[in-house]
Amino acid sequence: MTSNNNINDDIDNEIPVIPVIDFSNFEINPIQCSNEIKHACEFVGFFYLKNHGISDNFINEMFTIVIYFFIETSRQEKLKYIMNDDYFGYVDLKQEVLDPPHQKVGDYKECFNFGKFQNGNPIAQELPNYLKEKSTFIESFEKACHELCMKILQSFAISLNIKDDWFSNRHRYEMKSGDNFRILHYPPITIEDGNNIRAGSHTDYGSLTLLFQKDIGGLEIQHPFTKKWLQASVIPNTILINIGDLMEFWTMGLFKSTKHRVVFNNENMNLHRYSIAYFCHAERDVDLDPIPSDFIKAKEDELRRRITAGEHLRFRQENTYKQTY
Ligand SMILES: O=C(O)CCC(=O)C(=O)O
Ligand SMILES: [Fe+2]
């Protein structure tokens, strides 16, 4: 491989630009903490959150379920629950193409997408037996993620000087939205597969994403200004948060929906990597008109079609799954 082909060439490991924000300060000094978050959203699009209120035990228990499900469930059983029209269910190895212009084959990872739950039952999908047994726990974990997202959205509102509940009122759990709780598994790969990009470069679609990483790194983000790729290493006891396209669109580009990808090096190629993501979206019928904040300048001359959160999402999803295998 020549150096030009080496995707690690343009990696910048020197400046730790992804900030770590202590969310316990949000209770003590909400304005200061929200301003730190706003700075990260404007200049990086990613930040780590510590003291976020979701306990380590709770997260570890969720990971135990994730690992058991992916390893112990047969492929045949998983395929019975293949992603439905609402994009909930099992996503097979190589089914997802996150970077269509640059990928000949789909991502070498498998996922399971959960929609919302009510009283221990999933609303929008059937679950394989093992996940059905665990659905009360999964519901509580999913709801803890949603609740944390509401607090982070509150901090966005405070930093933008609009009503504290401006965003959370538009992201209610009970309402229809593109919210997606996703568990992921990147199995070990053999040399013959020859592809060390395991999740193609992409931006997320929603308002914000919570990402739980465990032990094994591999996530990289492309800094929105320098365009350098940076490793988003695993920092114990933190959740990695990022802005999605919907929020970038809604803030007229003030908050950055930063590109990211998962890349395996020779050391982690033989390992199983697991991660958990909660993609938080605005309710389907919310109009994504520019947010009424003094920080957000809607350019009068800009022609901007009126679009709802649901339309925005549909467009992104259709592009991702157009080309499979
Ligand atoms: O597994 C990861 O670390 C990232 C996954 C991701 O970016 C996604 O599913 O959108
Ligand atoms: Fe992502």
Side-chain angles (χ1 to χ4, degrees), residues 101-115:
H102 300 108
Q103 278 182 281
K104 286 197 196 75
V105 283
D107 296 336
Y108 199 72
K109 64 171 199 287
E110 56 178 344
C111 318
F112 197 94
N113 295 338
F114 298 93

Side-chain angles (χ1 to χ4, degrees), residues 46 98 202-204 209 219 242 260 279:
F46 270 80
L98 283 174
H202 68 283
T203 52
D204 290 347
T209 305
L219 182 70
N242 66 288
H260 51 286
F279 302 99

